[in-house]
């Protein structure tokens, strides 16, 4: 809290009626005045500042009054009114001046009220004097400290006395005040500190089944039974699969004023148990069937436990059936190709290669073979690239813009004292500026039509609304702003339903990749040859498992760490590795590594290296 912001000293009052021709005034040693001769053009009044006094002479006939102004710290009062702009004055005006100087120190408190700071501006306080000014028609009054007249020196007792007027007395750091006064830094010094609140713990789920999915894919006699591999999460009926740990309250803090700072309230989890699970009295969640338990709602406070269905892609699938949508886990025993789009609200297990395909999964993706000229998206990337999610998000953006444009156009027409049907406004915009919307609506219609009946989403009302907007001319009387609002809500419900299906701790596991884009909402593992001309993105860690794995002409980005084997070749384009924590490589050449704000180009080395932000900073400094 600031203290002593304004100090007012040396109030002075002068009745300035002495004419410039007074012999006593002319006798002042530093006054230099030229006598005015009859016929001189300059007949204006004059101002003289001498010995802390201000003298004014009237103008001669035909002249103008003198003009006075001031600069900090001088404040002028003319006829008991403070003036801030240049002002004309005559000997009849009553002029006073005072000094309003900057305080000797200031107390500030941090925004969170946990720290108070003392900033010293000057320890000594000197008297002030007006700077002398020769006679002139326009004078700016200035002041300067009188270094020969020390009034006082700031002491710790004076500062503490100021604190007694406030409540910042808790744990006052007196030694810090002494240190700053004896050896001034003129920087903010912390002199009081409160106690920050200790946050509580949010409610959380403790998973009790094994989640280790690091295994080689094993082709079994019954591929659908491949999910029953011992290392895949698999539970039996009656098994307790998780336990809800309740939220714990935190400890309040105390600010520098002695007030209580409440601890942030912990967040609870809304746990939804379907018919396949049950919530026990002790917070445990028991399974009512066997299979792979799925926990959805990543990043949300609403968590859902269920057991996804498993869909087996037939080996004799029609090559023209290029678009497949499943509301659960998918197992493909053969290769996936032919521009296939495979979308799963669960995990995807492929016991072959993926070529010229797009796979999205709200869970994890496991590919036993190589990935060529394809795109793989898991977890939140899988939800975002699911066509139901993509098209609904795009339509929401366009419909929001259409609604705003319709409102503006209708208001413009009404401002001209004209009437127009809102539906005609919508139809006009759909036929002009938004003539691309029917194509987007048809795309979403096509995707919804391909939904499996087992999808846990009711789209009946949305399908009806899409049909309406495909034929706006038949529904001009139906369109209102409320209808557009309803359509937007239906689109948002569909978008949120797909987004809410993303699972916790997802992963992508592949043998190798070429000319592909792979994005994992969790970890990403390459368990065989490596990658070539590919882009890998991971919200967790990226790991190249085999010692022989290579990363060539590719981009790898991880929010966590990257563990690679051989990166780059001298004769090829450079590879780029970007990580949030660290990068480990066994061999690297012709590549670039980035951690945080630090980047280094590596020409070549055969030794194992570990890069961190600090090592990159030191490396750049040395170069």
């Amino acid at each position: 809290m600031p203290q002593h912001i304004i100090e007012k000293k040396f109030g002075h009052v002068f009745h300035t009626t002495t004419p410039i021709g007074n012999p006593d005034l002319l006798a002042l040693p530093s006054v230099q005045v030229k006598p005015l001769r009859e016929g001189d053009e300059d007949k204006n009044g004059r101002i003289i500042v001498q010995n802390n006094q201000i003298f004014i002479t009237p103008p001669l006939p035909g002249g103008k009054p003198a003009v006075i102004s001031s600069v900090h710290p001088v404040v002028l009062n003319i006829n008991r009114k403070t003036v801030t702009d240049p002002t004309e004055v005559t000997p009849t005006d009553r002029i006073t001046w005072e000094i309003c100087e900057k305080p000797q120190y200031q107390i500030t408190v941090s925004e969170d009220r946990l720290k108070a700071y003392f900033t010293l501006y000057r320890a000594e306080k000197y008297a002030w004097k007006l700077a002398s000014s020769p006679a002139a028609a326009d004078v700016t009054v200035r002041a300067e400290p009188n270094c020969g007249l020390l009034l006082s020196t700031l002491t710790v007792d004076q500062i503490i006395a100021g604190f007694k007027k406030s409540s910042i007395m808790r744990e006052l750091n007196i030694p810090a005040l002494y240190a700053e006064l004896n050896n001034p830094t003129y920087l903010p010094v912390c002199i009081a500190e409160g106690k920050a609140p200790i946050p509580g713990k949010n409610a959380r789920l403790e998973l009790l089944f094994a989640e280790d999915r690091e295994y080689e894919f094993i082709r079994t006699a019954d591929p659908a039974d491949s999910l029953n591999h011992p290392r895949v999460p698999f539970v039996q009926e009656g098994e307790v699969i998780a336990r809800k740990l309740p939220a714990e309250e935190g400890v309040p803090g105390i600010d520098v004023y002695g007030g209580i700072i409440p601890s942030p309230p912990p967040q609870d989890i809304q746990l939804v148990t379907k018919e396949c699970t049950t919530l026990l009295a002790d917070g445990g969640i028991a399974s009512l069937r066997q299979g792979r338990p799925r926990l959805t709602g990543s990043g949300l406070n609403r968590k859902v436990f269920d057991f996804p269905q498993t869909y087996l892609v037939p080996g004799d699938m029609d090559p023209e059936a290029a678009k497949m949508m499943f509301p659960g886990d998918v197992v493909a025993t053969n290769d996936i190709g032919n521009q296939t789009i495979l979308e799963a609200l669960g995990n995807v297990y492929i016991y072959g290669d993926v070529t010229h395909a797009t796979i999205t999964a709200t869970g994890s993706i496991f590919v036993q073979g190589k990935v060529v000229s394809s795109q793989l998206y898991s977890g939140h990337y899988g939800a975002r690239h699911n066509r139901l999610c993509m098209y609904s998000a795009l339509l929401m953006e366009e419909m929001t813009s259409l609604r705003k444009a319709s409102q503006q156009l209708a208001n413009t027409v009404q401002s001209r004292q004209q009437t127009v049907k809102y539906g005609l406004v919508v139809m006009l915009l759909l036929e002009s500026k938004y003539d691309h919307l029917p194509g987007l609506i048809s795309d979403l219609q096509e995707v919804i039509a391909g939904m499996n009946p087992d999808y846990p989403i009711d789209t009946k009302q949305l399908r009806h609304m899409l049909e309406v907007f495909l034929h706006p001319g038949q529904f001009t009387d139906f369109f209102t702003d409320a209808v557009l609002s309803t359509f937007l809500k239906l689109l948002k419900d569909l978008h949120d339903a797909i987004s809410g299906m993303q699972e916790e701790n997802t992963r992508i596991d592949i043998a190798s990749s070429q000319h592909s884009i792979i994005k994992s909402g969790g970890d990403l593992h390459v368990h065989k040859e490596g990658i070539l001309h590919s882009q890998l993105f991971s919200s967790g860690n990226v790991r190249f498992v085999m010692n022989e794995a290579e990363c060539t002409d590719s981009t790898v980005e991880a929010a966590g760490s990257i563990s690679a084997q051989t990166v780059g070749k001298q004769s090829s384009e450079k590879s780029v590795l970007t990580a949030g924590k660290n990068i480990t490589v066994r061999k690297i050449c012709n590549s670039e590594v980035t951690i945080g704000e630090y980047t280094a180009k590596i020409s070549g080395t055969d030794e194992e290296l570990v890069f961190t932000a600090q090592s990159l900073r030191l490396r750049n400094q040395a170069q």
Side-chain angles (χ1 to χ4, degrees):
M1 182 179 296
Q3 304 285 335
H4 308 293
I5 296 301
I6 300 295
E7 297 181 1
K8 297 183 178 181
K9 294 292 183 181
F10 311 119
H12 300 270
V13 180
F14 298 97
H15 296 280
T16 54
T17 56
T18 307
I20 196 69
N22 188 301
D24 295 334
L25 179 59
L26 293 175
L28 292 173
S30 61
V31 176
Q32 301 175 359
V33 182
K34 292 182 179 179
L36 294 175
R37 298 187 306 235
E38 188 176 354
D40 278 354
E41 293 182 1
D42 191 356
K43 301 177 181 180
N44 297 339
R46 301 284 175 154
I47 299 173
I48 302 172
V49 181
Q50 186 72 39
N51 294 336
N52 275 342
Q53 300 181 53
I54 302 173
F55 302 94
I56 303 173
T57 66
L60 296 176
K64 296 180 180 179
V67 177
I68 193 170
S69 60
S70 64
V71 294
H72 181 80
V74 179
V75 176
L76 289 177
N77 297 293
I78 301 177
N79 300 324
R80 298 183 178 180
K81 291 184 179 179
T82 300
V83 295
T84 56
D85 298 321
T87 305
E88 293 183 345
V89 290
T90 65
T92 61
D93 291 315
R94 185 173 184 270
I95 300 177
T96 62
W97 62 273
E98 58 186 350
I99 297 296
C100 291
E101 60 182 324
K102 190 176 182 179
Q104 289 180 274
Y105 66 91
Q106 186 178 31
I107 304 298
T108 55
V109 176
S110 61
E111 188 174 349
D112 59 9
R113 308 194 312 277
L114 286 175
K115 292 185 178 181
Y117 295 93
F118 169 83
T119 304
L120 177 67
Y121 297 124
R122 65 188 188 285
E124 298 80 11
K125 178 183 289 187
Y126 292 94
W128 287 84
K129 62 181 179 179
L130 295 184
S132 297
S133 175
D138 190 337
V139 170
T140 299
V141 181
R142 306 174 185 274
E144 56 191 19
N146 184 356
C147 296
L149 185 55
L150 178 63
L151 299 179
S152 65
T153 300
L154 187 64
T155 66
V156 171
D157 290 339
Q158 290 175 311
I159 299 171
I160 294 177
F163 274 110
K164 292 181 179 178
K165 299 177 183 178
S166 71
S167 55
I168 310 179
M169 287 297 294
R170 182 182 180 277
E171 303 294 337
L172 194 61
N173 190 346
I174 305 297
L177 289 174
Y178 275 108
E180 180 63 16
L181 289 180
N182 293 331
N183 298 286
T185 65
Y186 305 105
L187 298 175
V189 176
C190 183
I191 56 169
E193 191 168 357
K195 184 178 181 181
I198 300 175
K201 292 184 179 180
N202 296 333
R204 56 201 185 280
L205 286 175
E206 179 186 15
L207 302 181
L208 303 178
F209 55 86
E211 283 198 293
D212 184 10
R213 285 165 288 188
E214 189 173 334
Y215 62 94
E216 291 289 335
F217 293 101
I218 299 176
R219 190 185 299 273
T220 62
D222 181 3
D225 191 49
S226 60
L227 293 179
N228 200 11
H229 189 279
R231 292 194 179 183
V232 177
F234 194 87
V235 299
Q236 302 297 325
E237 181 178 352
E239 185 178 342
V240 178
I241 59 177
R243 180 171 289 105
K244 178 182 177 182
L245 303 178
E248 299 178 13
E249 294 292 336
V251 179
I254 302 176
D255 62 24
V256 294
Y257 301 104
I260 300 298
I261 303 178
S263 173
Q267 294 183 343
D268 197 6
I269 292 177
Q270 179 188 358
L271 185 61
V272 179
T273 57
K274 296 188 175 182
E275 63 278 0
C276 54
T277 56
T278 183
L279 183 61
L280 304 178
D282 62 353
I285 299 116
S287 170
L288 299 181
R289 53 160 292 184
Q290 68 173 10
R292 182 183 81 87
R294 172 174 62 180
L295 178 62
T296 58
S298 177
L300 305 175
N301 290 331
R302 183 178 184 271
K303 305 291 184 182
V304 180
F305 257 120
D306 67 352
F307 288 78
Q309 301 180 52
T310 300
Y311 296 84
L312 178 63
V313 178
D316 57 351
M317 181 186 67
D318 183 358
E320 300 300 322
K323 297 178 181 178
M324 299 178 289
M325 302 169 58
F326 301 100
D329 292 342
V330 177
V331 178
T333 61
N334 297 317
D335 297 341
I336 297 293
N338 299 321
Q339 305 299 326
T340 297
I341 296 177
L342 194 161
E343 297 173 324
L345 302 185
N347 289 348
V348 173
Y349 304 85
I350 298 175
Y351 290 81
D353 298 333
V354 176
T355 307
H356 298 289
T358 299
I359 299 176
T360 69
T362 56
S364 300
I365 300 175
F366 301 93
V367 181
Q368 188 182 46
K370 58 181 179 291
V371 178
V372 180
S373 301
S374 299
Q375 296 84 45
L376 272 57
Y377 306 99
S378 78
H380 64 265
Y381 289 117
R384 187 186 307 170
H385 286 81
N386 184 289
R387 288 175 300 160
L388 287 171
C389 204
M390 282 197 305
Y391 291 158
S392 58
L394 186 56
L395 264 179
M396 275 194 294
E397 181 180 350
E398 294 295 327
M399 290 304 302
T400 300
S401 178
L402 171 65
R403 183 185 182 191
K404 183 178 180 180
S406 299
Q407 292 171 340
Q408 290 176 342
L409 183 55
N411 292 337
T412 300
V413 173
Q414 292 173 359
S415 67
R416 298 172 181 172
Q417 307 302 317
Q418 297 174 325
T419 58
V420 63
K421 287 185 177 180
Y422 193 85
L424 290 176
V425 173
V426 174
M427 188 178 70
L428 174 64
L429 290 171
L430 286 173
E431 292 177 348
S432 55
K433 182 179 179 181
Y434 295 90
D435 59 349
H436 59 285
L437 271 180
L440 296 177
I441 292 173
S442 296
D443 289 340
L444 182 56
Q445 265 190 331
E446 179 185 350
V447 177
I448 291 177
M451 289 175 60
N452 188 293
D454 293 331
Y455 266 76
I457 305 169
D458 184 4
T459 60
K460 182 178 180 181
Q461 190 176 358
L462 176 59
R463 291 198 304 270
H464 172 72
M465 195 68 76
L466 292 172
E467 191 65 30
V468 167
F469 276 90
L470 277 179
H471 305 89
Q474 302 176 19
F475 300 94
T476 54
D477 293 333
F478 172 73
F479 286 128
T480 63
D481 183 69
V483 169
L484 296 184
S485 177
T486 298
F487 188 29
L488 283 168
K489 183 179 184 304
L490 292 172
L491 291 170
K492 186 176 186 302
D493 289 344
L494 175 61
H495 178 274
D496 292 349
I498 301 300
S499 295
M501 293 301 295
Q502 58 183 280
E503 298 186 34
E504 304 275 356
N505 305 320
T506 62
R507 179 170 135 194
I508 290 181
D509 198 312
I510 62 173
S512 62
S513 73
Q514 299 177 21
H515 301 281
S516 297
I517 298 175
I518 303 174
K519 296 186 177 183
S520 172
D523 291 343
L524 198 162
H525 286 191
V526 181
H527 60 260
K528 285 192 177 179
E529 294 89 350
I531 63 174
L532 172 67
H533 296 300
S534 296
Q535 300 177 40
L536 273 56
F537 300 86
S538 168
S539 297
N541 304 315
V542 174
R543 180 186 173 201
F544 291 78
V545 179
M546 292 182 60
N547 290 341
E548 297 78 13
E550 296 183 354
C551 172
T552 308
D553 300 341
S554 298
T555 298
V556 181
E557 183 173 344
S561 302
I562 297 176
S563 177
Q565 306 298 333
T566 300
V567 179
K569 290 183 178 180
Q570 198 65 47
S571 59
S572 62
E573 297 179 7
K574 71 177 181 180
S575 291
V576 178
L577 307 183
T578 302
K581 294 182 179 179
N582 57 69
I583 298 173
T584 303
V585 295
R586 293 181 64 246
K587 181 179 179 181
I588 184 171
C589 69
N590 190 30
S591 298
E592 183 177 286
V593 294
T594 297
I595 300 177
E597 59 182 303
Y598 303 104
T599 298
K601 295 181 179 179
I602 312 299
S603 58
T605 177
D606 291 333
E607 61 179 325
E608 181 172 336
L609 295 175
V610 178
F611 299 100
T612 63
Q614 182 179 5
S615 69
L616 290 182
R617 177 177 61 82
L618 296 175
R619 185 188 188 97
N620 292 339
Q621 289 176 351
Q623 293 177 349

